[in-house]
Amino acid sequence: MNIEILMPWKIQDKPYQKLVDLYLERCTKRLPVEIINCRTQDELVRRISGREYIITLDEHAKSPDTDGFVKWLDNKLKSGCNRLTLCLGAAEGHDKRVKALAKESISLSPLTMNHQLALLVLAEQLYRAISIMFGEPYHKA
């Protein structure tokens, strides 16, 4: 399976970018993860049209704990899905067209985050989940 993360704009702050790159580089040893930056909502909608499994990240959705996120990701891997598309929203939230195309929504936190912080949290949680699934020592619980 491949994971792609669609997000509005690019990361502007280098410290965020450095950390995101670190976690995603670690992920791609086990599971390819790609970030696609979109300049507009129209571009994001165009890029997700026809995608296999679209998930929006939304602070109002169900927020799993770490074990729940691991189980959720593991179920997606075992489902036979070839590409998982995760969509981060813009400051005003997700476009109604994106919501209509999504099969589900999950929350990283009930807190509202800017897209750079949300991407960093997502990258770290993907790496944590992958390391748990493959029995690597990153997770200390």
Side-chain angles (χ1 to χ4, degrees), residues 8-27:
W9 308 288
K10 290 185 178 184
I11 294 179
Q12 301 298 321
D13 297 325
K14 296 294 182 198
Y16 280 109
Q17 186 66 57
K18 187 175 180 178
L19 287 169
V20 167
D21 290 345
L22 172 73
Y23 287 121
L24 294 185
E25 181 182 319
R26 291 177 180 176
C27 286

Side-chain angles (χ1 to χ4, degrees), residues 68-129:
F69 188 74
V70 171
K71 289 175 187 169
W72 175 84
L73 185 59
D74 192 46
N75 285 338
K76 297 297 175 247
L77 287 170
K78 291 176 179 173
S79 73
C81 178
N82 292 318
R83 181 175 305 275
L84 191 63
T85 303
L86 300 162
C87 297
L88 290 170
E92 54 280 343
H94 287 288
D95 184 286
K96 63 183 175 187
R97 299 170 292 173
V98 174
K99 288 181 180 180
L101 291 168
K103 295 200 185 220
E104 66 180 292
S105 293
I106 62 170
S107 175
L108 298 172
S109 167
L111 301 171
T112 302
M113 297 180 217
N114 71 48
H115 66 284
Q116 296 179 124
L117 182 55
L119 176 62
L120 177 56
V121 171
L122 177 61
E124 193 278 337
Q125 288 301 301
L126 284 170
Y127 175 62
R128 182 176 299 277

Side-chain angles (χ1 to χ4, degrees), residues 23-34:
Y23 287 121
L24 294 185
E25 181 182 319
R26 291 177 180 176
C27 286
T28 55
K29 293 176 183 173
R30 300 276 190 191
L31 191 65
V33 180
E34 174 187 13

